[in-house]
Amino acid sequence: MSIDETSDGSINTRSREVTEGVARSPNRAMLRAVGFGDGDFGKPIVGVANGYSTITPCNSGLNVLAERAQDSLREVGAMPQVFGTITISDGISMGTQGMKYSLVSREVIADSIETACQGLRMDGVLAIGGCDKNMPGALIGIARMNIPAIFVYGGTIKAGKLDGEDLNLVSSFEAVGQFNAGKIDKKRLLDVERNACPGAGACGGMYTANTMSSAFEAMGMSLPYSSTMAAEDAEKADSSAESARVLMNAIQKQILPGQILTREAFENAISVVMAVGGSTNAVLHLLAIAHTAGVSLELDDFERIRARVPVFCDMKPSGRFLAVDLHRAGGIPQVMRMLLDRGLLHGDCLTITGKTIAETLADVPREPSRDETGDREVIRSMDAPLYDEGHLVILRGNLAEDGAVAKITGVKHPKITGPARVYDSEENAMAAIMADEIREGDVIVVRYEGPVGGPGMREMLGPTSAIIGKGLGEKVGLITDGRFSGGSYGMVVGHVAPEAATGGTIALLQEGDTVTIDATERRLDVHLDGAELEHRRAQWVPPTPPSRGVLAKYARTVSSAHLGAVTDRF
């Protein structure tokens, strides 16, 4: 890209184009008003998409990163221009009607970044985000535009502390179930709440935010080690400054997202997600980004990679450690090096730095360092993994013809057959759990919570955490056409497709129907014959979607979960 001023005074850049040979001096006048001087018009304009918000600790520290990025961009000869984008706090909206807007916000973020960068013809963009949908939203927008871009993760929260125990947000959700079951008193419940989130940063386990930041690092769209840094540590701001310098180099050399976001890069991301025991939401978001990038990716690709990649990082929610522990143990580069050495990573993939994955990992140790006891803890040897195969299992059957996603880390009994307990909303299911109406062997069904039916595909952290808190995690199943938080675990199956609102079989279930979840055979079935299902289908009446507002637009444009729940699949 030429960033030089032409002889007639016009600007030969993407940002300041010339129409019919006439210099667009009004553009220059407007830019002077925001600080451009005579020597600045030949510099690339770089957007800094800032997801700063005080509504959530995930995003409350982003302004510091944005300021460091701006300073660094100016130092290397760019003209940074900051614009805002939104965030929804999943943790705060969880269990409320507000959670319907969480997945919707992914599309709003993508649209806003695309609109600002394209409308003002920016030469590159540095996107900064913290909460769950910030990351896929930014990458979808970046993939649409295909201008030089880098993602800066806001960083993970540090562990809360209580009586020598590490706490995190999920601890608070599980404490509600423990209190309701009489396992802890009110004082302990309040103490957990008061200490679970000590400062800025995204939820601390290998939940959705840390899963997606790890995936983006694996894809080469973020800097090495950046995905597991703590939000409040100085190295996070330093990484933001370095990201700006790397982006300027990408602008000069025209290293584009389309060169980085290849089929092989997505396979690398899936391998890393499996290795670290990441969130089910990674399936949804990677499918969506791949669609935007024009890369063929399907549910079966996750199953194929799962079969060959073990889980060898002992991470919460089902494991013991937080992202800050993984960072100290070597971070995602250590995980990637171990995968690369086993032939489970594509080392020739390009990264935003201009290096390949193999070049980036060349100096990373082949194995993690040992602690003082001589045992590997956070990152285990691949010869002694937690699980021999990946933990995100794709299920199919007459309850999920288009697929569903189960997360089986921490599950000792990967099969359950039991009577369906059917609820048409998360609230109704949660009320039944808290009222002790769920018994061992039940299969809870939460429907009409899919992308269309919600609308918005709410997460079910409240019900799953309450089940764990009540000691039923190994004793009941839960299936839904909604989603799960990255903090959910147990015998839970989400993303059931087709969803209830579009006439999927899950809409036809009745109380007491026998349902089987079988993660070993990868099956999700109701024990009814075709004739009975067709009889029920003939009587089924679809729900009425909202008629106004963003949820109405979303419900009418969103695709099925097995296609990534995107809104531009026409």
Side-chain angles (χ1 to χ4, degrees):
M1 177 184 298
S2 172
I3 314 177
D4 298 323
E5 187 169 347
T6 63
S7 59
D8 66 357
S10 63
I11 305 300
N12 185 21
T13 67
R14 170 186 154 85
S15 311
R16 288 129 292 172
E17 294 164 330
V18 178
T19 303
E20 297 178 352
V22 179
R24 299 179 65 185
S25 59
N27 303 78
R28 296 173 60 133
M30 297 275 298
L31 291 169
R32 288 185 190 280
V34 295
F36 277 64
D38 288 341
D40 296 327
F41 291 104
K43 298 176 181 178
I45 293 180
V46 179
V48 177
N50 185 5
Y52 168 72
S53 172
T54 60
I55 194 62
T56 171
C58 310
N59 292 53
S60 63
L62 299 191
N63 257 356
V64 173
L65 307 186
E67 289 169 0
R68 283 293 301 276
Q70 291 176 78
D71 291 344
S72 186
L73 285 165
R74 291 189 187 98
E75 290 170 3
V76 295
M79 289 300 289
Q81 301 296 297
V82 181
F83 62 91
T85 186
I86 68 160
T87 193
I88 297 295
S89 171
D90 286 16
I92 295 172
S93 65
M94 195 75 69
T96 75
Q97 292 292 302
M99 175 50 78
K100 291 185 175 184
Y101 291 84
S102 171
L103 188 58
V104 176
S105 76
R106 184 189 75 178
E107 311 310 305
V108 176
I109 293 165
D111 291 349
S112 66
I113 291 175
E114 177 192 3
T115 301
C117 290
Q118 296 290 67
L120 296 171
R121 308 303 287 160
M122 294 178 182
D123 299 299
V125 62
L126 183 148
I128 308 174
C131 200
D132 295 6
K133 307 312 173 294
N134 296 178
M135 281 152 291
L139 256 288
I140 289 170
I142 285 167
R144 288 179 189 168
M145 299 181 296
N146 200 33
I147 61 174
I150 194 167
F151 184 82
V152 174
Y153 179 42
T156 186
I157 198 170
K158 293 183 178 180
K161 299 288 184 180
L162 181 62
D163 299 331
E165 177 187 350
D166 283 353
L167 299 178
N168 62 91
L169 178 65
V170 177
S171 306
S172 185
F173 278 91
E174 292 180 358
V176 172
Q178 293 167 345
F179 173 74
N180 185 262
K183 296 181 179 180
I184 61 173
D185 60 18
K186 187 173 183 179
K187 179 181 183 303
R188 177 70 182 186
L189 174 64
L190 291 175
D191 285 346
V192 171
E193 175 208 303
R194 290 166 178 153
N195 291 278
C197 298
C203 299
M206 193 49 68
Y207 310 144
T208 302
N210 287 325
T211 297
M212 296 313 299
S213 68
S214 299
F216 290 179
E217 183 178 327
M219 296 171 84
M221 289 300 299
S222 297
L223 293 188
Y225 299 100
S226 65
S227 65
T228 52
M229 292 175 177
E232 296 182 313
D233 285 353
E235 66 176 346
K236 174 45 68 177
D238 292 342
S239 178
S240 183
E242 178 60 20
S243 296
R245 290 188 285 270
V246 167
L247 176 59
M248 184 60 170
N249 178 68
I251 292 171
Q252 292 169 336
K253 295 183 178 178
Q254 282 300 280
I255 301 173
L256 303 177
Q259 299 168 271
I260 299 170
L261 297 174
T262 62
R263 163 81 181 199
E264 291 75 19
F266 282 95
E267 291 185 348
N268 285 348
I270 295 169
S271 292
V272 167
V273 168
M274 295 295 178
V276 300
S279 167
T280 53
N281 284 309
V283 178
L284 192 78
H285 297 324
L286 290 174
L287 287 170
I289 299 165
H291 161 73
T292 306
V295 171
S296 176
L297 193 70
E298 300 176 348
L299 283 179
D300 290 342
D301 293 313
F302 290 83
E303 184 59 38
R304 175 175 52 82
I305 294 171
R306 181 193 77 82
R308 69 180 191 233
V309 178
V311 181
F312 57 93
C313 296
D314 191 3
M315 304 296 295
K316 288 182 179 293
S318 59
R320 294 179 291 162
F321 297 104
L322 299 172
V324 290
D325 302 310
L326 177 61
H327 190 63
R328 285 192 292 268
I332 295 303
Q334 181 66 76
V335 174
M336 292 177 69
R337 178 59 192 265
M338 295 167 69
L339 289 168
L340 181 67
D341 287 349
R342 293 293 183 100
L344 297 173
L345 220 58
H346 300 285
D348 57 350
C349 287
L350 181 68
T351 74
I352 189 62
T353 66
K355 294 181 179 180
T356 65
I357 291 291
E359 290 169 340
T360 301
L361 301 176
D363 295 330
V364 176
R366 293 182 177 276
E367 295 287 339
S369 59
R370 296 179 181 273
D371 64 16
E372 62 274 11
T373 67
D375 295 322
R376 294 183 179 90
E377 295 286 339
V378 184
I379 305 175
R380 299 178 60 160
S381 167
M382 290 185 70
D383 293 325
L386 277 81
Y387 307 96
D388 292 332
E389 294 181 336
H391 63 300
L392 299 180
V393 181
I394 306 304
L395 308 182
R396 296 186 188 274
N398 67 358
L399 261 177
E401 294 95 333
D402 291 332
V405 183
K407 182 179 181 182
I408 60 171
T409 39
V411 175
K412 297 173 183 170
H413 307 291
K415 179 179 178 179
I416 183 171
T417 295
R421 306 298 309 278
V422 183
Y423 305 96
D424 287 348
S425 72
E426 176 188 358
E427 287 84 356
N428 290 344
M430 186 68 174
I433 295 166
M434 299 301 284
D436 294 324
E437 295 175 5
I438 303 301
R439 301 286 182 262
E440 180 177 340
D442 286 346
V443 177
I444 303 167
V445 178
V446 187
R447 64 189 180 188
Y448 295 105
E449 293 286 7
V452 175
M457 205 178 180
R458 287 196 289 179
E459 293 181 346
M460 305 290 151
L461 181 59
T464 60
S465 295
I467 289 168
I468 295 294
K470 286 179 171 290
L472 293 171
E474 286 287 339
K475 300 171 183 176
V476 303
L478 190 155
I479 70 172
T480 180
D481 51 9
R483 298 182 295 129
F484 294 114
S485 162
S488 295
Y489 64 104
M491 197 59 178
V492 296
V493 181
H495 307 199
V496 172
E499 63 172 289
T502 61
T505 305
I506 190 172
L508 310 180
L509 292 182
Q510 296 177 3
E511 189 80 5
D513 287 343
T514 301
V515 171
T516 292
I517 305 170
D518 189 338
T520 302
E521 296 297 324
R522 305 191 298 279
R523 298 291 303 179
L524 181 63
D525 293 292
V526 57
H527 295 248
L528 296 172
D529 61 32
E532 174 62 20
L533 289 174
E534 287 308 310
H535 173 71
R536 295 185 186 184
R537 194 178 304 279
Q539 298 177 321
W540 175 74
V541 178
T544 302
S547 59
R548 295 288 185 274
V550 67
L551 292 182
K553 290 190 289 186
Y554 187 82
R556 284 164 174 78
T557 57
V558 70
S559 71
S560 171
H562 81 285
L563 300 173
V566 296
T567 55
D568 62 350
R569 194 179 185 99
F570 307 121

